[in-house]
Each structure stands twice: as C-alpha cells, then as structure tokens.
Amino acid sequence: RKEVEQDPGPFNVPEGATVAFNCTYSNSASQSFFWYRQDCRKEPKLLMSVYSSGNEDGRFTAQLNRASQYISLLIRDSKLSDSATYLCVVFFMDTGRRALTFGSGTRLQVQP
Amino acid sequence: DVKVTQSSRYLVKRTGEKVFLECVQDMDHENMFWYRQDPGLGLRLIYFSYDVKMKEKGDIPEGYSVSREKKERFSLILESASTNQTSMYLCASSLGASNQPQHFGDGTRLSIL
C-alpha cells in the first residue's frame, strides 16, 4: 500500500461547480499535511497547509480527519484557472526517520 | 518570495556521461531536496540535505550522488547517465523544521539518449 494515495482523476467539472478531493495516508504518526498545486509542465506550488481544526482560504477549504487518516480539499465556485493537478503531501517523523511524502496527484479539469 | 533556481530548464545528454544538475536558493534555507517526477509515479525523493556537507538518501538514490558544499547550493550528480534517468528533476528547499512546506525550482527536463 502506498503511504499517500490519491485518486488520479481526472475530475471534469463545469465552471461554478464545487469539487472535493480526498487523500488517504497510511502512517498514523503523520504530523503535518499540505496541498500543493501543479500546473502542466510547471513546478509544484504550495496551495495551503492543513490544520487539525480545518482551514479555509477563499474558495478553498482543507480538512483533516485523523481517525480515518485522510485529508480533503474542497474547491467552491470552480474557475477555469483552477485546472491543475493537486498534490497531497504528508510529513511524519519518528525515531530515526522523517519523511515528507507526496501523493501522485489528482487532476482537475474545469470546463466552460 | 523564495527563489529556487535550477541551472537548466532542458538538458540532453548521452548514455554514460557524467551529468551535473545545479540548484541554488536565496532564502538561507537549511533543507534542500532533489526529486524526480515521472508520469503516473508522482514525485520521488532522490536525496536531501539538512545542512552543509550533510546528505541523506531518499527513496531512489541509486545511480545518483549529491554535493552540498555551501548552504545555498545543492548539486545532483548522475555518475554515468542511463536512459532510465530521463525525467523531470525538481529541486526544493525549506526552512529548518522538517515539517515546513517546500519551495520548488522550475525543474530540469533531462533527456538521456
């Protein structure tokens, strides 16, 4: 089983739609979580960190469910410019080992 | 804004050549990372460094080495390039605490012929 798993998509949604992605992680000792956005042929860029209480940044809402070991990203009122691949990133640290692991990404295509 | 600069956007080399990929960051970050990204496999960590002259293996270090002689510079070396090392290579840096988000360079698309 992969340490971080995402549905690769693509998710094809119309402009204005609400769309949500989940990302599951296998290590219960995971401590920090992030969502990155990657445009085609570009580098990943930090979209938002994910806090235990959940957090919102404009149209984007991130949530963490430790009991079920997943994080989610909700995008409201989708724009054409939201089309990209969204990468889930998980950090954990325990004795002798620390790792920041990237998921393979979920592709979103917003259509006019 | 953090600036992570990779020396080349596109690079073409031949099998057996020794290849150097350079990465420089301007924010005095302690941590630097080298990844490769391939379709369907996502980002895979090759090597990372938490301090000058310090390096640790990532998930796929075979066929690669690294050098960190100065804090701002982290070099990835392909000792003897092979065709299966054709990939997009991404450098990243982050602040000292290991759980800080990473800032990426533009990437180097390396082709080995």
Side-chain angles (χ1 to χ4, degrees), chain B residues 24-36:
Chain B
V24 177
Q25 50 93 5
D26 66 357
M27 284 301 290
D28 203 35
H29 282 174
E30 290 80 4
N31 308 325
M32 296 189 75
F33 308 82
W34 274 107
Y35 295 88
R36 62 179 282 178

Side-chain angles (χ1 to χ4, degrees), chain A residues 11-19 59 75-83 108-112:
Chain A
F11 283 57
N12 295 304
V13 302
E15 269 187 290
T18 295
V19 60
R59 296 180 295 107
I75 306 175
R76 289 182 299 278
D77 189 22
S78 300
K79 312 288 184 193
L80 294 176
S81 57
D82 293 334
S83 297
L108 171 65
Q109 185 67 47
V110 181
Q111 294 161 338

